[in-house]
Amino acid sequence: MLKFRIVAAFILLVSASCSTPAQAQNSAQIKQNNSLVQSQPTREQILNACVQNQAETLPNPFTDVPSNHWAYKAVLTMYYCGAYREATAPALIQELLESPQTN
């Protein structure tokens, strides 16, 4: 009887999760206060913000990290600049700024 209840609970959970999949929020359209989010910053804006250690001045791509969160700056720095931003040589940053952008 216990095995039957476990199997039934498993089937119920699987069917419930399959029938209502999670939907991603479109961060390009919706922000917490329902206003339009700024468009994606340019490569120059991102590189300059990373060099100046001001990634928090760039648009927030996450709806679940408010600007008053204690890790806001760290989250945006990781998103835009990556983990090794201080290891990037200034000459490489200048080269990136001057090189044509490829998509």
Side-chain angles (χ1 to χ4, degrees):
M1 184 70 173
L2 182 60
K3 288 182 182 179
F4 176 74
R5 286 184 183 175
I6 293 173
V7 171
F10 177 76
I11 291 172
L12 179 66
L13 289 173
V14 169
S15 64
S17 66
C18 291
S19 64
T20 55
Q23 296 179 355
Q25 294 180 351
N26 186 349
S27 63
Q29 295 177 353
I30 301 172
K31 197 173 179 175
Q32 289 177 349
N33 62 359
N34 292 333
S35 66
L36 291 178
V37 175
Q38 297 174 359
S39 62
Q40 179 69 21
T42 65
R43 182 173 61 163
E44 290 80 16
Q45 290 172 323
I46 293 171
L47 287 172
N48 286 329
C50 292
V51 167
Q52 298 169 7
N53 197 22
Q54 296 179 345
E56 72 276 9
T57 62
L58 298 170
N60 183 0
F62 303 105
T63 58
D64 60 344
V65 181
S67 60
N68 63 349
H69 191 274
W70 65 268
Y72 179 76
K73 183 175 181 176
V75 169
L76 264 60
T77 299
M78 287 292 292
Y79 178 78
Y80 285 113
C81 307
Y84 301 106
R85 69 178 180 4
E86 291 183 9
T88 305
L92 178 59
I93 293 172
Q94 189 62 34
E95 181 182 326
L96 289 171
L97 285 170
E98 293 172 354
S99 68
Q101 186 173 359
T102 57
N103 289 335

